[in-house]
């Protein structure tokens, strides 16, 4: 007997390589998965300018990054959308990424339409393609609910984002570049239990994030990436070891050996920072 509904995730036709430059931008859920990649020694940047929740703010961040000539182009970009709610600075009519604790009366909150979300995301992908014609973009919608909007309104916001991402993935010029990973569905339809949430009953628990990581790896990792992670684990464990006597000769030799293995590992997979 089956006691849960399994979300079907197609295996990707392309794979993430250890030497790929990865960018995670978007809501705090992007931060959770991005940090998991960082822990596994992938070459990753996670929300360089802070958390971005809506498509326009994501677009702004990607414009900033792609305008920086010192920034090498990214191979794979992960975008996690949290909401279609934005704040507009009344004085200029500009959608801001952060209110910076300025008085609320300076801003007007509104909701982006599906079309506006699609246009912001399309523009962001186009900027990435200008820097790297072979870039791959993985879109996700955060499963985190927004209590302040009301739960029905939060669902409507997620629905707007899901419709926008679906439309973007189907655009003829982007359907080989952009793919969708169902993180939202994994939490809301497959796990679907409060034991997979943190104490606030809104954010996924560490166990849920780890499960999503495993499902993601099944879709986007090949033998090379899996071997990379397996070889990194004993080095990571050695570097994270807390010695009883850090000044001992034995520990100095242990640490030197671990650092030597790290250099060899980085050279083998071209993942030196």
């Amino acid at each position: 007997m089956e006691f849960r509904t399994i979300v079907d995730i197609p295996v990707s036709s392309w794979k993430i390589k250890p030497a790929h430059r990865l960018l995670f931008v978007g809501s705090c859920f992007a931060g959770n998965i991005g940090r998991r990649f960082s822990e596994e020694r992938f070459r990753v940047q996670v929300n360089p300018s802070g958390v971005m929740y809506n498509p326009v703010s994501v677009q702004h961040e990607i414009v900033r990054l792609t305008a920086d000539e010192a920034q090498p182009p990214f191979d794979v970009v992960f975008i996690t959308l949290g909401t279609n709610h934005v704040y507009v600075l009344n004085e200029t009519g500009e959608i801001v990424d952060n209110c910076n604790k300025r008085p609320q009366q300076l801003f007007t909150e509104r909701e982006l339409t599906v079309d506006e979300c699609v246009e912001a995301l399309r523009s962001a992908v186009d900027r990435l393609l200008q820097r790297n014609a072979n870039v791959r973009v993985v879109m996700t919608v955060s499963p985190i609910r927004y209590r302040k909007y009301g739960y029905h309104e939060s669902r409507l916001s997620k629905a707007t984002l899901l419709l926008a991402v679906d439309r973007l993935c189907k655009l003829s010029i982007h359907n080989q570049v952009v793919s969708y990973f169902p993180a939202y569905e994994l939490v809301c339809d497959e796990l679907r239990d409060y034991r997979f949430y943190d104490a606030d009953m809104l954010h996924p628990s560490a166990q849920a994030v780890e499960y999503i990581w495993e499902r993601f790896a099944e879709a986007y990792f090949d033998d090379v990436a899996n071997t990379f992670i397996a070889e990194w684990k004993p080095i990571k464990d050695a570097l994270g070891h807390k010695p009883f006597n850090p000044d001992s000769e034995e520990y100095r030799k242990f640490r030197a050996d671990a650092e030597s293995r790290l250099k060899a590992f980085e050279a083998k997979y071209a993942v030196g920072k």
Side-chain angles (χ1 to χ4, degrees):
M1 298 177 66
E2 279 287 347
F3 291 99
R4 61 179 176 141
T5 54
I6 305 297
V7 175
D8 181 43
I9 303 176
V11 175
S12 173
S13 61
W14 58 271
K15 303 297 180 183
I16 295 172
K17 304 298 183 184
H20 277 164
R21 292 188 179 275
L22 312 178
L23 170 67
F24 285 81
V25 61
S27 78
C28 50
F29 187 75
N32 288 335
I33 300 298
R35 281 190 295 273
R36 190 68 170 79
F37 270 88
S38 181
E39 290 169 3
E40 298 300 341
R41 206 63 181 187
F42 285 86
R43 305 169 80 184
V44 58
Q45 291 187 47
V46 181
N47 279 331
S49 301
V51 177
M52 303 291 166
Y53 293 99
N54 67 79
V56 171
S57 292
V58 167
Q59 176 196 17
H60 291 167
E61 175 70 325
I62 288 176
V63 167
R64 284 190 289 266
L65 290 169
T66 54
D68 182 2
E69 293 298 329
Q71 170 66 59
F74 297 103
D75 299 295
V76 186
V77 177
F78 303 86
I79 296 175
T80 298
L81 305 174
T83 180
N84 70 329
H85 286 243
V86 297
Y87 287 88
V88 179
L89 183 61
N90 295 330
E91 183 179 0
T92 64
E94 175 191 10
I95 294 174
V96 298
D97 304 330
N98 192 316
C99 294
N100 294 316
K101 298 183 178 180
R102 287 175 288 179
Q104 184 175 353
Q105 60 267 27
L106 297 179
F107 304 91
T108 298
E109 182 180 2
R110 75 174 184 88
E111 300 170 35
L112 298 174
T113 65
V114 173
D115 287 342
E116 287 175 317
C117 292
V118 172
E119 178 55 28
L121 296 172
R122 184 201 59 76
S123 176
V125 173
D126 287 346
R127 288 296 295 254
L128 292 167
L129 285 167
Q130 289 172 13
R131 291 296 306 276
N132 179 6
N134 297 313
V135 70
R136 301 288 186 169
V137 180
V138 180
M139 303 290 305
T140 63
V141 172
S142 171
I144 298 170
R145 294 173 293 164
Y146 291 92
R147 178 184 291 164
K148 68 177 182 177
Y149 301 147
Y151 295 122
H152 176 64
E153 289 76 7
S154 180
R155 290 276 186 174
L156 293 175
S157 176
K158 302 293 186 184
T160 299
L161 299 174
L162 289 166
L163 288 168
V165 170
D166 184 67
R167 188 181 300 176
L168 181 71
C169 291
K170 292 176 179 176
L171 287 176
S172 59
I173 59 173
H174 291 140
N175 60 11
Q176 299 300 315
V177 176
V178 183
S179 60
Y180 175 69
F181 180 76
Y184 179 83
E185 291 80 0
L186 283 174
V187 174
C188 296
D189 296 323
E190 183 171 329
L191 300 182
R192 199 167 58 178
D193 192 295
Y194 279 117
R195 65 195 169 103
F196 295 112
Y197 286 83
D198 271 346
D200 64 1
M201 296 292 108
L202 300 174
H203 290 75
S205 67
Q207 185 181 28
V209 172
E210 182 64 20
Y211 180 72
I212 293 167
W213 162 263
E214 291 175 1
R215 295 297 306 276
F216 185 92
E218 291 172 1
Y220 288 96
F221 289 172
D222 60 8
D223 290 343
V224 174
N226 288 324
T227 300
F228 171 81
I229 292 171
E231 291 183 9
W232 163 242
K233 185 179 186 308
I235 302 173
K236 177 175 66 173
D237 291 344
L239 292 172
H241 177 69
K242 302 296 182 183
F244 180 75
N245 183 2
D247 297 321
S248 68
E249 181 65 23
E250 181 182 11
Y251 178 69
R252 281 197 290 269
K253 291 181 179 179
F254 175 85
R255 184 73 185 187
D257 176 70
E259 291 176 353
S260 176
R261 290 159 60 198
L262 172 62
K263 289 181 180 179
F265 174 82
E266 290 179 337
K268 177 180 179 180
Y269 289 103
V271 293
K273 300 298 183 183

